[in-house]
C-alpha cells in the first residue's frame, strides 16, 4: 500500500497535474493555429496550381447546336404582325461512349506538393435523325457541334474532332448560354445532316486537370470507362458498375441511361437550369493529408499529456523521491513540442518518417530526464517504454481512418482501467 504524506498529498498533486494539463493547452492552442495556417496555405497552393495547370474538369457532350428562325404571329386589333424569333435548339446524342485515361503527376511549389493529371479523352457517339425530332415551327439556319469543358485553357491537343468522318473547324466557346455548356469548344458543320438516319461523331483530345473529373450522361445510353495508375480513387454521383483497384491503379466502368437525369434529349437553349443531374465523378483521392493527420493527433494531446504526467507521478511515488512542480512543467511542455516537431518534419519528409523523428525527439530526452530526476535508470527505461507505447498507439489511431473513433474510445477506457489499478492501494496519511 502506498502512503502519501500531507506535504505531497494525492489531492494536491492531482489538482496540480489537472491544472497543469489545462495550462498546457495554451501552447497547444497556438500550435493548432499554426497547423491550421499551414493547412490553409497548402489548400491555397493547390487551388493556385489548379488555376494554372487545370481545374477539376467537367466534360459535357457532345451536343448539336441548331440555330433557327421561328416565325411568330402576333394579332392586334387592326392587323396581323409577323416577327422572326431566333434561338438555339440543343440535341443530345442517342449513344455516348467515353474512354478516359488519367496519368497522375506530382507538382511542387516550395515545400508544398499536390497531384494533378494529364487526361487522354476519347469520345464517340451518335445523334438521331434530326427531321424526326425538330419541332415543325423551327427553320434551321446553321448546325454546330459543341463539347462542354470547364477549363478550356488546359486543353493541350485536339487529336480528332469529326462528324460523319469529316473534320470540324473548331473555335473556342460554344455560343450556348445554358449554364454548364457555355464553356468549351464548338465548330460549324458544313455537310447536310437533315436526311441522315444516324449521325456519328468522334472526338479525341488531351487535357490537364486537378483533383478529378466529372462526366455528364448526355446520351440516352452512356458507357463511361476511366482508368489511371492512381491507386486510391474515390467515386461519387453515380457509382461504377464495375471497378478494379490494385497495385497497377484503377479501372472503372459505368453503364447508365438517360433516366438518371431530369431533362430531355432535345430542347431550346435556356430551357433547363441544371444539366449536372446524374453526374459521374472520379477523383484522384489523396486521403488524409499530413496536415489533417497532425490536426487529428492534436485532438488526443490532452489525454496523452495527462497520462504522461500521471506516469511521472507514479514514478515519484514509487521511487520515494520528490518531483518538483517545475519538473512536471518541463515534462509537460516537452510533450506539447512533439506536435510542432511533427508538423515541421512532415513538410519535408513522409508522415511516417516525420512521426518517427518527432517521437524520438520527445521520448529520448524525457527518458533521460526522468532517469536524472529519480536517479534510477529503471525509471528512465520505464518512461522510454511508456512514451514509446503511447506514441505507437497514437500512430495506429491516426492510420485507422475508419476505426479511429472506436480505437480512441478503447484507449480512453484502457487508460481509466490502468489508473484504477495503479491507484487502488494509495492511502493518504495526514499529519497529527
Amino acid at each position: 500500500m502506498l502512503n502519501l504524506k500531507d506535504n505531497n498529498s494525492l489531492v494536491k498533486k492531482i489538482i496540480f497535474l489537472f491544472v497543469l494539463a489545462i495550462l498546457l493547452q495554451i501552447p497547444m492552442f497556438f500550435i493548432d493555429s499554426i497547423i491550421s495556417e499551414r493547412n490553409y496555405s497548402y489548400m491555397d497552393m493547390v487551388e493556385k496550381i489548379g488555376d494554372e495547370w487545370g481545374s477539376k474538369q467537367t466534360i459535357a457532350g457532345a451536343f448539336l447546336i441548331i440555330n433557327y428562325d421561328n416565325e411568330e404571329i402576333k394579332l392586334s386589333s387592326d392587323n396581323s404582325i409577323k416577327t422572326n424569333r431566333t434561338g438555339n435548339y440543343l440535341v443530345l446524342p442517342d449513344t455516348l461512349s467515353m474512354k478516359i485515361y488519367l496519368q497522375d503527376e506530382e507538382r511542387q511549389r516550395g515545400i508544398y506538393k499536390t497531384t494533378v493529371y494529364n487526361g487522354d479523352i476519347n469520345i464517340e457517339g451518335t445523334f438521331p435523325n434530326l427531321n424526326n425530332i425538330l419541332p415543325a415551327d423551327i427553320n434551321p439556319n446553321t448546325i454546330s457541334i459543341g463539347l462542354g469543358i470547364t477549363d478550356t485553357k488546359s486543353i493541350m491537343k485536339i487529336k480528332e474532332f469529326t462528324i460523319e468522318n469529316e473534320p470540324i473547324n473548331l473555335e473556342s466557346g460554344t455560343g450556348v448560354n445554358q449554364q454548364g455548356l457555355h464553356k468549351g469548344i464548338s465548330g460549324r458543320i458544313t455537310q447536310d445532316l437533315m436526311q441522315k438516319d444516324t449521325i456519328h461523331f468522334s472526338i479525341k483530345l488531351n487535357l490537364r486537370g486537378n483533383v478529378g473529373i466529372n462526366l455528364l450522361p448526355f446520351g440516352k445510353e452512356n458507357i463511361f470507362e476511366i482508368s489511371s495508375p492512381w491507386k486510391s480513387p474515390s467515386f461519387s454521383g453515380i457509382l461504377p458498375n464495375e471497378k478494379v483497384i490494385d497495385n497497377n491503379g484503377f479501372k472503372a466502368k459505368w453503364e447508365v441511361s438517360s433516366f438518371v437525369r431530369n431533362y430531355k434529349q432535345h430542347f431550346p437553349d435556356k430551357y433547363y437550369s441544371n444539366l449536372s443531374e446524374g453526374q459521374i465523378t472520379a477523383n484522384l483521392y489523396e486521403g488524409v493529408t499530413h496536415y489533417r493527420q497532425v490536426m487529428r493527433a492534436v485532438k488526443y494531446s490532452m489525454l496523452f499529456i495527462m497520462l504522461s504526467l500521471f506516469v511521472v507521478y507514479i514514478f515519484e511515488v514509487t521511487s520515494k523521491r520528490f518531483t518538483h512542480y517545475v519538473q512536471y512543467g518541463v515534462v509537460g511542455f516537452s510533450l506539447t513540442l512533439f506536435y510542432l516537431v511533427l508538423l515541421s518534419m512532415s513538410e519535408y519528409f513522409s508522415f511516417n518518417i516525420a512521426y518517427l523523428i518527432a517521437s524520438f525527439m520527445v521520448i529520448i530526452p524525457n527518458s533521460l530526464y526522468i532517469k536524472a530526476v529519480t536517479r534510477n535508470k529503471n525509471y528512465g527505461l520505464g518512461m522510454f517504454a511508456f512514451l514509446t507505447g503511447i506514441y505507437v498507439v497514437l500512430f495506429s489511431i491516426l492510420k485507422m481512418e475508419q476505426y479511429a473513433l472506436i480505437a480512441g474510445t478503447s484507449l480512453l477506457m484502457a487508460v481509466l482501467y490502468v489508473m484504477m489499478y495503479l491507484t487502488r492501494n494509495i492511502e493518504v496519511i495526514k499529519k497529527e
Side-chain angles (χ1 to χ4, degrees):
M1 182 177 293
L2 299 176
N3 296 326
L4 302 175
K5 294 183 178 180
D6 184 60
N7 63 349
N8 193 25
S9 68
L10 173 66
V11 175
K12 289 176 61 177
K13 268 295 173 66
I14 290 298
I15 292 175
F16 167 74
L17 294 179
F18 181 75
V19 173
L20 176 61
I22 294 177
L23 290 176
L24 288 173
Q25 293 307 299
I26 296 176
M28 288 305 306
F29 171 79
F30 290 105
I31 291 173
D32 188 58
S33 299
I34 294 173
I35 298 171
S36 298
E37 180 183 353
R38 304 295 283 186
N39 184 61
Y40 176 81
S41 299
Y42 168 74
M43 298 305 296
D44 184 60
M45 181 277 303
V46 171
E47 185 176 346
K48 286 181 179 178
I49 289 181
D51 291 339
E52 297 169 2
W53 176 270
S55 61
K56 186 175 184 179
Q57 298 286 9
T58 298
I59 308 297
F63 51 91
L64 293 180
I65 309 164
I66 301 176
N67 183 263
Y68 65 89
D69 288 329
N70 186 5
E71 193 174 74
E72 182 178 11
I73 300 176
K74 292 184 178 180
L75 298 177
S76 62
S77 59
D78 54 349
N79 59 1
S80 298
I81 302 173
K82 292 183 178 180
T83 60
N84 287 328
R85 180 165 55 88
T86 63
N88 290 323
Y89 196 83
L90 304 182
V91 178
L92 306 184
D94 276 349
T95 63
L96 180 61
S97 173
M98 293 191 193
K99 292 184 179 181
I100 298 173
Y101 179 78
L102 303 178
Q103 177 62 57
D104 59 280
E105 181 178 334
E106 188 177 83
R107 306 296 293 179
Q108 182 170 352
R109 179 169 296 174
I111 62 173
Y112 301 115
K113 300 177 182 179
T114 188
T115 300
V116 297
Y117 63 79
N118 279 293
D120 288 320
I121 317 294
N122 294 329
I123 305 173
E124 290 187 353
T126 58
F127 292 104
N129 184 291
L130 298 181
N131 280 323
N132 294 336
I133 62 172
L134 291 180
D137 59 344
I138 285 183
N139 302 311
N141 291 328
T142 61
I143 302 178
S144 302
I145 183 171
L147 179 67
I149 300 175
T150 305
D151 191 358
T152 54
K153 75 175 185 299
S154 301
I155 298 176
M156 303 307 297
K157 184 179 181 181
I158 299 177
K159 304 174 183 178
E160 180 180 320
F161 204 119
T162 63
I163 190 163
E164 288 296 297
N165 296 319
E166 287 193 13
I168 301 296
N169 186 21
L170 296 170
E171 57 184 11
S172 60
T174 63
V176 176
N177 294 322
Q178 179 75 45
Q179 180 66 30
L181 300 185
H182 61 289
K183 293 183 178 181
I185 54 178
S186 63
R188 182 171 295 184
I189 300 171
T190 58
Q191 56 184 305
D192 183 12
L193 300 179
M194 299 301 295
Q195 306 305 320
K196 293 185 178 293
D197 291 334
T198 58
I199 304 167
H200 180 267
F201 65 90
S202 178
I203 303 170
K204 296 180 181 180
L205 69 153
N206 177 266
L207 54 75
R208 302 191 302 197
N210 187 26
V211 179
I213 191 167
N214 301 321
L215 307 178
L216 298 184
F218 273 11
K220 277 188 178 180
E221 298 177 358
N222 304 272
I223 298 177
F224 300 141
E225 297 180 46
I226 303 178
S227 60
S228 172
W230 189 256
K231 299 180 180 62
S232 56
S234 67
F235 308 108
S236 59
I238 298 177
L239 299 181
N241 300 77
E242 304 173 13
K243 66 177 181 180
V244 176
I245 303 174
D246 53 28
N247 292 331
N248 296 320
F250 76 90
K251 295 180 181 179
K253 183 177 181 180
W254 292 258
E255 295 182 12
V256 296
S257 71
S258 59
F259 299 119
V260 300
R261 32 96 170 168
N262 193 33
Y263 51 87
K264 303 293 185 181
Q265 286 300 116
H266 46 88
F267 49 88
D269 187 10
K270 297 184 180 179
Y271 193 80
Y272 294 104
S273 60
N274 182 16
L275 297 181
S276 62
E277 294 178 348
Q279 177 175 278
I280 289 169
T281 299
N283 290 326
L284 304 186
Y285 179 61
E286 291 194 75
V288 179
T289 65
H290 59 279
Y291 293 109
R292 289 279 302 278
Q293 287 180 310
V294 178
M295 287 180 183
R296 290 172 56 191
V298 168
K299 296 183 186 299
Y300 294 93
S301 62
M302 182 75 168
L303 169 64
F304 286 168
I305 289 173
M306 288 192 66
L307 182 59
S308 301
L309 293 175
F310 180 76
V311 169
V312 175
Y313 177 68
I314 295 297
F315 289 160
E316 174 188 352
V317 173
T318 55
S319 67
K320 298 180 181 180
R321 298 191 63 86
F322 175 73
T323 303
H324 198 275
Y325 295 111
V326 173
Q327 293 171 323
Y328 280 104
V330 170
V331 173
F333 186 72
S334 69
L335 295 173
T336 65
L337 293 180
F338 164 78
Y339 304 95
L340 190 60
V341 175
L342 177 60
L343 172 65
S344 59
M345 292 295 173
S346 65
E347 292 184 333
Y348 296 93
F349 306 100
S350 69
F351 183 79
N352 293 354
I353 295 177
Y355 192 93
L356 186 65
I357 295 173
S359 298
F360 280 105
M361 288 183 71
V362 172
I363 293 172
I364 294 175
N366 274 283
S367 301
L368 295 175
Y369 188 67
I370 294 300
K371 174 187 174 184
V373 169
T374 60
R375 297 181 183 178
N376 189 322
K377 67 177 182 180
N378 290 331
Y379 290 110
L381 292 174
M383 192 65 177
F384 181 89
F386 167 75
L387 290 177
T388 301
I390 65 169
Y391 284 126
V392 167
V393 170
L394 177 60
F395 183 79
S396 301
I397 292 175
L398 296 178
K399 290 299 181 180
M400 292 187 294
E401 295 183 29
Q402 296 181 0
Y403 306 103
L405 179 59
I406 190 173
T409 305
S410 300
L411 174 63
L412 283 171
M413 297 306 299
V415 169
L416 175 62
Y417 299 149
V418 170
M419 291 178 65
M420 292 172 66
Y421 177 79
L422 293 176
T423 59
R424 72 192 188 283
N425 294 324
I426 290 180
E427 177 183 348
V428 178
I429 300 178
K430 294 184 177 181
K431 290 183 177 179
E432 296 182 354

